[in-house]
Amino acid sequence: VEPDLTYTVAAARLPTISDLQTSTAGLPANFDRETYLSIPAPPPAVVSLLQQAQTLPSQWDKFDFLRNQILDNVGATGTGSPVSITPERIQDMLAGSKEGSPFEIVAAQAMLARWAGVPSRIGYGFDGGELVEDVLQVRPKHGATFVEVYFPTYKWLPVIGVPKKAKPTVGSDPGT
């Protein structure tokens, strides 16, 4: 990269929570429902949460309620290495150990979205960086996984959240 390189990012405005709450557009006919909505049957703890979410007025409200159940009640533990997540693991995270790795917490949010009928996937990108001598430096340790949900009017939207509880993992992640 040449010194003093500059660039401009042109992007659409992000929707507000109100925009998402009032979004009623259906999925396009060519949307890949099999890839982004397919999921095994939910475990009992999820069935209970889905029943509570059904009383909420919008798809966004349902998803937000469900994802916050994970963020508020499941503590992060360990590193965020990607692993396969089953409905039984979600049951344990919600009603058993109440713990999960950062990746499992994101995967749980994506699974809950699908169980609620909101297309979802897991995204990866960089969240933050370090300001060093007035320059923002972004390194691999700033990488993060997050859930992305699909609302037809706005397409894929990243939703970043942080669990309220976490066990210390100092020295356990070679990326830091």
Side-chain angles (χ1 to χ4, degrees), residues 41-52:
V46 172
V47 170
S48 175
L49 291 176
L50 290 171
Q51 288 170 344
Q52 294 174 58

Side-chain angles (χ1 to χ4, degrees), residues 53-166:
Q54 287 306 316
T55 64
L56 299 172
S58 72
Q59 285 297 92
W60 169 260
D61 290 324
K62 291 172 186 171
F63 165 68
D64 194 45
F65 167 78
L66 293 167
R67 82 180 187 92
N68 278 299
Q69 291 297 309
I70 293 290
L71 295 174
D72 292 348
N73 299 303
V74 176
T77 183
T79 60
S81 301
V83 294
S84 180
I85 307 297
T86 63
E88 293 76 26
R89 180 68 183 117
I90 303 301
Q91 177 70 22
D92 176 65
M93 290 169 66
L94 288 168
S97 70
K98 296 189 183 278
E99 292 183 345
S101 74
F103 180 83
E104 289 174 319
I105 289 170
V106 169
Q109 292 173 71
M111 292 171 76
L112 286 165
R114 290 183 183 195
W115 278 314
V118 177
S120 67
R121 64 186 183 189
I122 296 172
Y124 178 84
F126 292 91
D127 188 22
E130 293 176 40
L131 197 58
V132 178
E133 297 178 15
D134 295 324
V135 175
L136 182 65
Q137 293 184 357
V138 180
R139 304 206 178 272
K141 68 181 177 180
H142 301 117
T145 56
F146 45 85
V147 65
E148 289 185 326
V149 290
Y150 186 89
F151 282 81
T153 303
Y154 307 104
K155 310 297 184 232
W156 288 105
L157 300 169
V159 182
I160 297 173
V162 178
K164 289 192 176 176
K165 300 176 274 186

